[in-house]
Amino acid sequence: MKDKRLAKLNFGKLLNYGGDLDVGAEVPTACTGVCVSCSEKGYVSKIGRRQFCHIYHGADTEDFERMICRLPQGGRDVPVVFLLDSPDNTFDSGPLFAYEGFSKSTPLKHHFWARKRANWPGESDSVNLKYALYFADVIATHELKNAYFTFIIKCCLSSNTPSGRSGYHVKADPNHNHSKIRNNCFRHFLEEEMKIMNPRIVFYFGEKATKMGERLRLDFLWRNTHFVRLIHPGFISISHEKLIRLNNALISDALLKVDGRKI
């Protein structure tokens, strides 16, 4: 990770890997700690039988470059942040990890976003919309030298439903526990990530991430930042090819307004 403050936040505070990770290592580094702030505050115990299960970190352009190869010289240095609402349990993750009386599943891959490959993927590679390939394609297509991808809420919320997944409510939150989780996670992580990146543009993936950002008043806190809603990579009502094309158009338009460059 390019910025050591982001590395320390992701791999020292959120997940304790000693402050950074070697993305090229063959053997996964042992995780020695995870954030349990919301669990300690009792926010999850008040939401029926649900519990936190998976916890995920962010990744930046350098993470993808270290796993694939360096982007060509030039490109855009404009800082941009891509935000998803929260993880689910479909990413590679390890067994439950016990820490401070709570259990969470940590990423199995060092950088679960960035999978080892020999060259940058193109649109034909990313049409299956596996997140790592798609995000790498976004970076390469728009020549983003300073991009950062992360979740607004870092932990997946599981339940006793058949899928084992339970998303966070944005509006229908009668006991305000989901709001407390969102606000607490923001104070611990996203607020710091935003301060470090100081992005010119924030791209939200999907409606839920957009609403979460609005509830956190990100547009008020970062008044000189442009906020753009993209289609979530998991959206299934349109073809993957169309989703990629529409998102690329939105990203290109936003970047053009910021730096005046058309790629």
Side-chain angles (χ1 to χ4, degrees):
M1 195 165 281
K2 183 178 181 180
D3 193 297
K4 298 308 176 187
R5 295 170 297 174
L6 281 176
K8 185 176 181 180
L9 191 65
N10 279 277
F11 306 124
K13 183 179 178 181
L14 177 66
L15 293 151
N16 191 353
Y17 287 104
D20 203 354
L21 286 178
D22 178 6
V23 297
E26 293 292 331
V27 180
T29 304
C31 181
T32 60
V34 295
C35 177
V36 292
S37 176
C38 289
S39 298
E40 288 179 331
K41 288 179 168 62
Y43 296 154
V44 183
S45 63
K46 299 174 183 177
I47 312 178
R49 297 182 180 180
R50 300 172 189 172
Q51 61 180 349
F52 292 122
C53 54
H54 302 339
I55 182 169
Y56 289 101
H57 55 78
D60 67 356
T61 297
E62 184 175 276
D63 292 330
F64 287 91
E65 289 184 312
R66 289 165 69 183
M67 287 296 289
I68 306 171
C69 62
R70 288 287 176 184
L71 285 167
Q73 293 296 315
R76 286 185 163 105
D77 287 317
V78 56
V80 296
V81 169
F82 291 84
L83 294 178
L84 298 104
D85 52 295
S86 63
D88 60 27
N89 58 2
T90 61
F91 293 113
D92 288 335
S93 58
L96 287 176
F97 169 76
Y99 181 71
E100 298 291 333
F102 304 99
S103 297
K104 291 186 182 182
S105 181
T106 59
L108 190 62
K109 308 292 185 184
H110 280 193
H111 289 280
F112 76 99
W113 308 95
R115 309 299 171 86
K116 191 77 174 176
R117 57 182 292 126
N119 58 317
W120 286 94
E123 183 174 322
S124 60
D125 296 304
S126 63
V127 291
N128 58 10
L129 279 239
K130 291 190 175 181
Y131 285 18
L133 290 179
Y134 176 54
F135 294 155
D137 178 45
V138 167
I139 290 172
T141 298
H142 302 282
E143 300 182 8
L144 301 175
K145 306 288 284 188
N146 195 12
Y148 182 68
F149 297 80
T150 194
F151 293 103
I152 294 175
I153 300 177
K154 312 302 184 186
C155 291
C156 167
L157 192 63
S158 71
S159 71
N160 57 355
T161 62
S163 69
R165 287 176 284 173
S166 177
Y168 294 94
H169 295 299
V170 180
K171 290 185 177 180
D173 185 13
N175 296 319
H176 304 293
N177 289 309
H178 289 195
S179 299
K180 291 175 182 176
I181 292 169
R182 181 182 66 237
N183 294 339
N184 188 55
C185 196
F186 170 72
R187 287 191 295 270
H188 279 279
F189 299 105
L190 184 60
E191 184 176 20
E192 292 303 311
E193 292 168 308
M194 288 287 289
K195 287 179 179 178
I196 293 168
M197 285 296 298
N198 192 23
R200 295 292 305 281
I201 310 171
V202 167
F203 294 103
Y204 292 117
F205 279 119
E207 180 182 12
K208 184 172 284 189
T210 304
K211 289 181 177 178
M212 284 184 176
E214 290 171 350
R215 291 298 176 96
L216 291 169
R217 304 186 71 191
L218 296 186
D219 58 343
F220 175 79
L221 296 171
W222 282 270
R223 298 186 184 187
N224 295 322
T225 298
H226 298 271
F227 291 84
V228 179
R229 175 177 165 182
L230 302 176
I231 304 169
H232 193 284
F235 189 65
I236 61 174
S237 295
I238 60 176
S239 69
H240 292 165
E241 291 85 353
K242 185 176 182 179
L243 186 152
I244 293 169
R245 186 170 65 253
L246 291 174
N247 276 355
N248 277 341
L250 291 168
I251 295 169
S252 294
D253 183 61
L255 289 167
L256 181 63
K257 290 177 181 177
V258 168
D259 66 8
R261 294 183 55 202
K262 187 173 184 179
I263 296 178

